[in-house]
Amino acid sequence: MKILKYCPSCGKESLHWDGEKKWSCPECSFTLYNNVAGAVAVVIRCGDEIYLTRRNREPKKGKLDLAGGFVDPKESAEETCKRELFEELQLQVDISKLKYLASLPNIYQYKEIDYNTIDLFYEYNVSEKFEVNLELSEISEAKWIPLKELNLDDIAFDSQKIFFTNYLTSI
C-alpha cells in the first residue's frame, strides 16, 4: 500500500500508518482514518443465468464483475444499486424488487492505496434477458452466463468469489 507521508494539518513529513486503519501525526496530533467504504454488487438474474460485466479498468481489468459500485454520501445502498445499474448498463430498476442477500468484506486497491470495503450483495430478477448499450469507459462487455458454467477464476474480486461459492450452493 502506498503510504501517505505529509500531514494535511501541519504539512510536515511526519504521518505514520498504523498498518490497519489510520494515519497519525505525532507533531500536531492529527489523525486521518481510512474507514470502510460501502459498495454494492447486483446479481441480475433471469432463470438460471446471470448478467455479468467485464472490467475495462484497473483494478482487475479483463475480469468478470457484478454491476455495482461505491455508495455515495447521503445515498442508501438500494439507491446506489439503482444509480449504478443505470450508469453502467442504462438499466432502470425498481428498488422494491431488489433482494438483499449478503455482505462481505473486501479490499479494493486503487492507485496503490487499499480501500477496505463492505460489499453488499443484492439480487434483481428479470423476466426476460436483455442487452444494453455499454458505458465502455468502465465495461468492455456484458453477457449472460448460465450459473452452472460460472468459473470463479474469471471473477474479479475475492468477495464476489466467496459470495458465488455460497450463492451457487444455495440455489
Side-chain angles (χ1 to χ4, degrees), residues 2-4 10 18-19 24 27 31 40 46 49 51 64-65 87 90 94 113 128-129 142 150 154-155 167 171:
K2 188 175 190 175
I3 302 298
L4 303 177
C10 70
D18 74 356
S24 57
E27 299 292 326
T31 302
V40 300
C46 183
E49 294 185 61
Y51 202 58
L64 293 175
D65 195 6
E87 286 177 6
Q90 301 301 304
D94 178 352
I113 293 180
E128 295 179 0
K129 293 197 301 187
L150 184 62
D154 293 336
I155 302 296
Y167 184 75
I171 55 172

Side-chain angles (χ1 to χ4, degrees), residues 42-53 64-67 89 101 121-126 128-131 142-152 155 160 163-165 167-168 171:
V42 183
V43 179
I44 302 170
R45 186 169 169 180
C46 183
D48 290 332
E49 294 185 61
I50 57 172
Y51 202 58
L52 292 174
T53 63
L64 293 175
D65 195 6
L66 289 167
L89 304 173
L101 299 174
F121 291 88
Y122 289 84
E123 183 179 64
Y124 191 76
N125 283 288
V126 295
E128 295 179 0
K129 293 197 301 187
F130 57 86
E131 298 300 325
K143 63 182 182 173
W144 290 98
I145 298 177
L147 286 166
K148 64 184 178 191
E149 294 177 17
L150 184 62
N151 180 352
L152 297 181
I155 302 296
Q160 291 184 21
F163 168 79
F164 276 120
T165 299
Y167 184 75
L168 293 171
I171 55 172

